[in-house]
Amino acid sequence: MTTLWQASQQLLAGQISPETPTQHALSAIAAESGEGKRVFTKVYTAAARQQAEQAGARWQQQQPRSAIDGLPISIKDLFDVAGEVTTAGSRLLSNTSPATANASMVDRLQQAGAVIVGKTNMSEFAFTGLGVNPHYGTPANPWQRAQQRIPGGSSSGAAVAVSDGMCLAAVGTDTGGSVRIPAALCGLTGFKPSASRIDQRGTLPLAASLDSIGVIA
């Protein structure tokens, strides 16, 4: 599997088309035999393709926005996206008002040119480290998948999205292990920075004194 860093280096060297990683990610999400239906609560197929094409034009002009310009990234289903309801893995919030603005983290990804392919499933309200979700299904751990082992949580969909090539990195949240646990169970790397390192505006909280936005890759 190509890593985020490897894909970035390949883009820089002109070895791959900027559209290719997103095409591969969307194909993995849509695969009938895959975990896409349980991993994602929302997929931005058309927007992702458009963003990848725009990134391709920037790379051709040698004016990328950042090292991850055009690379597919997923976001956990507790980050606000303007015009959408933020459900946090729960049916209880499905009828609440849509967000009026993007989470700060979403804006920063877009400013960097990252292609946001979709919102990933999670433990309901991020309340468990198991990754189980009774509403949207539980993504299966890539290890011995036939046995449907738990992926770890609460950023369950984030980890399986990366392990299955549905994105090259995933942004989640970690209060007591919610990035690090699924990363460990799925054979990935999860990083929890200090709580104030990444702006949390537009992120549904669990425990404000401990919450941190982190990444899996």
Side-chain angles (χ1 to χ4, degrees):
M1 180 185 298
T2 301
T3 68
L4 181 70
W5 182 84
Q6 288 170 338
S8 178
Q9 294 301 299
Q10 289 169 357
L11 282 177
L12 188 62
Q15 296 173 345
I16 60 172
S17 162
E19 293 88 351
T20 298
T22 294
Q23 291 170 353
H24 288 169
L26 292 174
S27 294
I29 293 170
E32 285 295 326
S33 59
E35 292 293 304
K37 293 178 181 178
R38 287 176 287 275
V39 165
F40 284 89
T41 57
K42 194 170 189 67
V43 182
Y44 304 122
T45 304
R49 287 176 175 154
Q50 182 180 40
Q51 291 164 13
E53 290 175 1
Q54 293 169 348
R58 290 192 292 270
W59 278 103
Q60 287 181 348
Q61 297 166 4
Q62 297 185 342
Q63 295 179 334
R65 291 180 179 175
S66 73
I68 62 169
D69 194 357
L71 297 182
I73 309 293
S74 67
I75 59 174
K76 190 175 180 178
D77 187 23
L78 46 58
F79 294 114
D80 284 349
V81 171
E84 297 180 8
V85 173
T86 304
T87 60
S90 177
R91 297 286 187 191
L92 296 176
L93 299 181
S94 59
N95 293 321
T96 57
S97 299
T100 57
N102 290 338
S104 176
M105 184 277 304
V106 173
D107 281 338
R108 289 182 64 182
L109 284 174
Q110 292 179 339
Q111 290 163 7
V115 175
I116 300 177
V117 293
K119 282 189 171 183
T120 53
N121 196 3
M122 56 182 284
S123 303
E124 187 175 18
F125 297 124
F127 273 140
T128 171
L130 300 179
V132 176
N133 188 298
H135 306 294
Y136 300 103
T138 299
N141 190 308
W143 177 253
Q144 296 183 347
R145 178 151 287 164
Q147 297 184 33
Q148 297 288 296
R149 297 182 183 276
I150 60 168
S154 64
S155 305
S156 54
V160 178
V162 175
S163 74
D164 285 30
M166 300 177 192
C167 59
L168 291 175
V171 182
T173 56
D174 191 315
T175 305
S178 287
V179 158
R180 293 162 292 166
I181 293 169
L185 266 60
C186 294
L188 305 166
T189 297
F191 175 62
K192 177 186 179 180
S194 54
S196 61
R197 185 66 181 85
I198 301 176
D199 189 345
Q200 296 182 38
R201 284 177 294 178
T203 306
L204 193 144
L206 175 59
S209 60
L210 296 171
D211 291 344
S212 181
I213 295 174
V215 294
I216 297 175

